[in-house]
Amino acid sequence: MLNQRLLEKVLEMALSNGADFAEIFIEDTFNSSIQLLDRQIKKAIEGEDYGAGIRIFYGIKAIYAFTNDLSEKSLLAAADAVSKADIGKGNIVTFDLQKKDLDSPHKIEIPFNSITKKEKIDFIQKVDKAARNYSDLISQVNVTYTEKEQKIQIANSDDLLTDDTRTYARIYVSSIASKGNEMQTGSEGPGAQRGYEFFQKLNPEELGRKTAKQAVTMILADYAPSGKFPVVIGNGFGGVIFHEACGHALETTSVAKGASVFADKMGKQIANQCVTAIDDGTIPNAWGSTTIDDEGNPTQKTVLIKNGILKSFMIDHLGGIKIGTKSTGSGRRQSYKFAPTSRMRNTYIAAGNDNFDDMIASIDFGLYAKKMGGGSVQPGTGDFNFAVAEGYLIENGKITKPVRGATLIGNGAKILHKISMVGKELKFAEGMCGSVSGSVPTCVGEPPIKVDEIVVGGRK
């Protein structure tokens, strides 16, 4: 990381044409991944990202440049370039960098480099073997092991000087079941902000069997019906619908542009009163947590919706200036190559008071979407279309048989009003979220929820 005097010189250069604010973000990240496919190790890649991003504000206009050359000459040239992209109003900004250290709650027990590559490969092979042994219908297993350590340093003209280290561990498993010309996939992708102890606490055989069971159940299932009927969405990855169809519309990235359906709804009822939604960057060792955000602000637990009432947006520094509020510690970026914007961290619908069995019993005919798959969302409107990765029919108040090929079609803002029951068993699932500031680790989460009516796409 850079010494304080060099950071000060870069900020001074960036402010030299009258900018209102200047920031420098330094990053040194080590990445490693191993992929197993066709029972063989196909890839074993290691790499390092090292560079700096410099950002300045002229009012609400942001200018950003980055470089992977951290020599003084290169950094000052980048700072000079951004400073000349506009002209200030004659303001002179002075600063006095003050080192700010926060104790990280995300403790690491076992460094990755203390474990041999053979032990890591043995773990991956156990996952593959367990999945293939589950059924002769399993035709392919794909396992990707990843580890990452990101060290960052941030200084800005608000006197801030701070740093952080984030350590990530994740494994993604997909098993494919084949029958005739058809295929179905089961997948799991657990992750955490932990060291190798994360993998030691996982059961590789259980992980492999779980993905295989999902794929085999779906390949043997009948096709799902289509129509409008009640749906119970399972806990964990079911939260992806809220994340994609509502969460992004609660980020100032869209709110400040007036491109969100929620932009003028602060303090108003936007969901059924049984719905409380939270974005929390402070959960210890959670995949989407960080001690500070990528602008140097402490992360926080932000209540977005409480009992159906809109309480807060997710706010970064620039977004806060635009809408006139403080940052919620939500400024995030994939790397030094991206300017930060407001992004989700661990975003979830909070646990309610309803029993899962009561939800199922309340439905004469409907769908239990135990696990959601991928989908698409229309930005701005929140119109969505998501595949059901594992679904079951509900008949006369009971779960009866598995069905495949279902999709859920709707609008995020409207669906929030149709959630009538919220269960008790909150669960999270890990993933990568892509947006204007790149791909960042996020958790989605929810307990089981009942939606009174939603369009289900099926083949019957």
Side-chain angles (χ1 to χ4, degrees):
M1 294 293 139
L2 304 186
N3 66 67
Q4 183 167 334
R5 181 57 196 139
L6 178 54
L7 294 169
E8 290 168 344
K9 291 173 71 174
V10 173
L11 293 175
E12 288 164 358
M13 178 64 78
L15 292 165
S16 61
N17 210 29
D20 302 308
F21 170 83
E23 169 196 82
I24 179 168
F25 175 91
I26 314 295
E27 177 186 14
D28 185 2
T29 295
F30 172 77
N31 290 290
S32 177
S33 67
I34 305 171
Q35 183 191 23
L36 181 147
L37 185 67
D38 292 331
R39 296 188 175 89
Q40 297 179 337
I41 299 299
K42 292 290 186 180
K43 295 179 182 176
I45 301 173
E46 293 184 351
E48 186 174 13
D49 286 329
Y50 187 51
I54 300 170
R55 182 174 64 153
I56 61 172
F57 296 164
Y58 285 103
I60 59 171
K61 182 179 180 180
I63 298 148
Y64 192 75
F66 65 88
T67 176
N68 59 9
D69 180 352
L70 297 193
S71 67
E72 180 172 334
K73 179 181 178 181
S74 174
L75 290 170
L76 291 176
D80 184 47
V82 294
S83 73
K84 292 177 177 174
D86 207 336
I87 299 175
K89 297 179 179 178
N91 295 331
I92 298 176
V93 176
T94 60
F95 60 90
D96 178 18
L97 293 183
Q98 301 293 320
K99 187 71 166 62
K100 187 176 182 181
D101 295 315
L102 292 176
D103 185 34
S104 172
H106 316 296
K107 305 302 181 187
I108 306 303
E109 299 172 17
I110 303 175
F112 294 123
N113 59 13
S114 67
I115 304 298
T116 65
K117 187 153 287 185
K118 180 181 182 307
E119 183 173 337
K120 297 170 185 176
I121 291 174
D122 286 347
F123 179 89
I124 296 170
Q125 289 175 329
K126 287 179 182 176
V127 176
D128 175 80
K129 184 177 180 181
R132 291 182 183 277
N133 286 344
Y134 180 81
S135 169
D136 291 339
L137 293 173
I138 297 298
S139 58
Q140 185 59 281
V141 179
N142 189 345
V143 185
T144 301
Y145 166 105
T146 58
E147 56 187 43
K148 173 180 174 180
E149 184 180 79
Q150 181 189 39
K151 296 179 179 177
I152 65 167
Q153 182 184 39
I154 302 168
N156 67 35
S157 58
D158 287 341
D159 302 334
L160 177 69
L161 173 59
T162 189
D163 55 48
D164 191 23
T165 298
R166 296 100 176 242
T167 304
Y168 296 99
R170 193 181 187 210
I171 187 165
Y172 186 83
V173 184
S174 66
S175 296
I176 298 174
S178 302
K179 184 181 178 186
N181 294 325
E182 296 194 45
M183 294 187 294
Q184 290 288 319
T185 301
S187 63
E188 290 289 330
Q193 198 177 158
R194 289 189 180 278
Y196 194 76
E197 70 273 11
F198 170 75
F199 297 105
Q200 290 186 335
K201 292 174 182 176
L202 282 178
N203 183 324
E205 287 86 2
E206 183 179 307
L207 185 59
R209 285 192 294 269
K210 189 174 183 180
T211 60
K213 181 181 178 182
Q214 181 190 337
V216 170
T217 299
M218 288 297 99
I219 199 72
L220 297 176
D222 197 0
Y223 287 115
S226 59
K228 286 184 178 180
F229 35 79
V231 172
V232 173
I233 302 175
N235 60 2
F237 200 66
V240 71
I241 295 180
F242 180 82
H243 174 105
E244 296 290 355
C246 302
H248 283 296
L250 295 170
E251 297 167 338
T252 48
T253 307
S254 57
V255 172
K257 297 175 183 174
S260 166
V261 294
F262 303 119
D264 60 350
K265 298 291 192 301
M266 186 59 67
K268 297 181 180 177
Q269 190 92 32
I270 64 166
N272 190 302
Q273 63 179 7
C274 66
V275 176
T276 292
I278 294 168
D279 180 66
D280 190 352
T282 69
I283 303 171
N285 297 105
W287 176 246
S289 294
T290 52
T291 306
I292 57 173
D293 71 358
D294 291 323
E295 297 177 320
N297 298 307
T299 52
Q300 60 179 248
K301 181 177 182 179
T302 307
V303 177
L304 305 170
I305 302 168
K306 185 172 184 181
N307 299 329
I309 306 293
L310 179 59
K311 294 293 184 180
S312 178
F313 298 121
M314 288 166 278
I315 306 165
D316 63 313
H317 187 172
L318 184 61
I321 293 173
K322 291 179 177 177
I323 67 171
T325 57
K326 293 183 178 178
S327 166
T328 54
S330 304
R332 303 191 69 188
R333 60 181 114 195
Q334 177 179 327
S335 72
Y336 70 93
K337 299 174 184 174
F338 296 82
T341 57
S342 60
R343 303 289 297 274
M344 285 173 273
R345 300 161 300 197
N346 307 298
T347 311
Y348 59 96
I349 294 176
N353 299 313
D354 294 302
N355 292 313
F356 176 75
D357 290 345
D358 291 340
M359 291 186 200
I360 300 299
S362 69
I363 297 173
D364 291 330
F365 184 82
L367 181 73
Y368 170 40
K370 182 177 181 180
K371 184 172 183 181
M372 297 303 302
S376 61
V377 176
Q378 184 68 32
T381 66
D383 291 336
F384 66 79
N385 184 325
F386 278 91
V388 177
E390 185 176 358
Y392 297 83
L393 210 58
I394 302 172
E395 297 173 294
N396 300 317
K398 294 181 179 179
I399 296 172
T400 54
K401 60 181 181 180
V403 289
R404 60 177 161 140
T407 56
L408 303 186
I409 303 163
N411 175 274
K414 294 178 180 176
I415 289 297
L416 286 176
H417 291 281
K418 295 182 179 179
I419 297 173
S420 61
M421 300 177 78
V422 178
K424 302 174 181 177
E425 301 84 13
L426 173 62
K427 183 180 176 184
F428 290 95
E430 296 76 21
M432 297 299 293
C433 172
S435 187
V436 290
S437 61
S439 179
V440 297
T442 55
C443 279
V444 299
E446 68 175 27
I449 61 171
K450 178 189 172 187
V451 181
D452 283 340
E453 183 182 86
I454 190 169
V455 175
V456 177
R459 294 196 183 183
K460 285 187 174 181

